[in-house]
Amino acid sequence: MKWKQAWFMDESDEDPRLPHHRNPKELVPLDHLAELGVLYWRLNPKDYENDQQLRNIRETRGYNYMDLLNICPEKLENYEEKLKNFYTEHIHADEEIRYCLEGSGYFDVRDKNDRWIRIWIKAGDLIILPAGIYHRFTLDTSNYVKLMRLFMGEPVWISYNRPQEDHPARKEYIESFTKKVGVALEAH
Ligand code: KMT
Ligand code: NI
């Protein structure tokens, strides 16, 4: 599938729910995201309770925990405060796994040069952010998303706001790049 759903963001402080494309647009290919450790699957969100593909991903990666999160004022307690926290740049000690079942929204992740990449998530998109990557989330102008949250074992939802350069997960994430470069050099 051609990846048309990620782009480098402009730095304007307009409404975060707007796309924030640069002018001209700078799309980001899927393999660039994979280099950052961001993984992506396109699934069928209609019958997610019986989806074999989802089952396989969950089994392979050990995601035994699952819950659903409706992000709209009627269904989410402390809606404004939660949205504010989601959009504050942070990391986690574990992967962040989100599967969009309805609606849409933006995950922003920092690349190796500290630029924001905006990833547009719609129904059927499952995304995994690695532990230690700086990121944030906002709704788009549709103002609604229904997400499945997956986790390995007992879920931990603690966010560590930037700066976190001494956090073990951050250090490990940064090290994972250096290691990969090391391996690539040895292979030559
Ligand atoms: C988080 O940690 O929950 C986020 O980064 C927000 C995305 S899911 C609403
Ligand atoms: Ni997060």
Side-chain angles (χ1 to χ4, degrees):
M1 189 200 79
K2 201 162 182 301
W3 179 262
K4 283 191 283 200
Q5 310 293 354
W7 53 84
F8 286 111
M9 281 184 81
D10 73 0
E11 298 293 329
S12 88
D13 39 350
E14 277 186 307
D15 184 349
R17 297 182 197 211
L18 296 172
H20 285 265
H21 271 293
R22 290 190 185 177
N23 187 13
K25 285 182 183 177
E26 279 187 61
L27 301 183
V28 175
L30 189 54
D31 51 358
H32 188 95
L33 288 173
E35 270 176 41
L36 299 176
V38 175
L39 303 178
Y40 165 86
W41 282 266
R42 173 96 204 164
L43 305 176
N44 176 10
K46 293 267 149 52
D47 188 22
Y48 64 85
E49 275 153 338
N50 298 299
D51 182 9
Q52 192 54 45
Q53 230 187 326
L54 178 61
R55 244 179 239 150
N56 289 346
I57 295 169
R58 289 186 62 182
E59 271 168 31
T60 313
R61 301 185 67 93
Y63 300 149
N64 49 347
Y65 175 89
M66 183 276 263
D67 69 10
L68 300 176
L69 193 66
N70 267 294
I71 306 188
C72 58
E74 301 77 34
K75 293 199 176 146
L76 188 65
E77 255 180 70
N78 301 324
Y79 173 81
E80 292 294 341
E81 190 195 333
K82 283 204 178 112
L83 280 182
K84 193 170 150 271
N85 291 338
F86 290 158
Y87 203 62
T88 305
E89 184 172 2
H90 63 273
I91 62 167
H92 306 284
D94 306 279
E95 290 176 334
E96 177 165 317
I97 311 125
R98 299 290 185 271
Y99 176 25
C100 180
L101 299 173
E102 293 172 18
S104 50
Y106 296 124
F107 279 94
D108 300 335
V109 299
R110 291 278 192 189
D111 78 354
K112 291 177 192 172
N113 300 315
D114 220 21
R115 288 175 299 189
W116 279 120
I117 296 175
R118 174 150 275 196
I119 306 168
W120 201 5
I121 294 300
K122 297 178 191 169
D125 293 334
L126 188 159
I127 189 169
I128 302 179
L129 308 182
I133 192 172
Y134 282 125
H135 68 278
R136 63 187 181 188
F137 173 85
T138 176
L139 291 169
D140 61 19
T141 49
S142 78
N143 263 323
Y144 172 67
V145 77
K146 179 176 179 178
L147 295 171
M148 179 187 290
R149 301 194 292 189
L150 297 170
F151 205 89
M152 200 197 302
E154 271 304 298
V156 180
W157 307 124
I158 303 170
S159 299
Y160 302 94
N161 291 344
R162 190 170 181 169
Q164 288 297 336
E165 298 320 304
D166 292 328
H167 191 290
R170 180 69 193 164
K171 284 185 175 166
E172 211 169 294
Y173 178 64
I174 297 295
E175 249 172 51
S176 70
F177 297 138
T178 351
K179 269 191 212 134
K180 264 182 222 149
V181 172
V183 170
L185 287 176
E186 268 169 36
H188 280 88

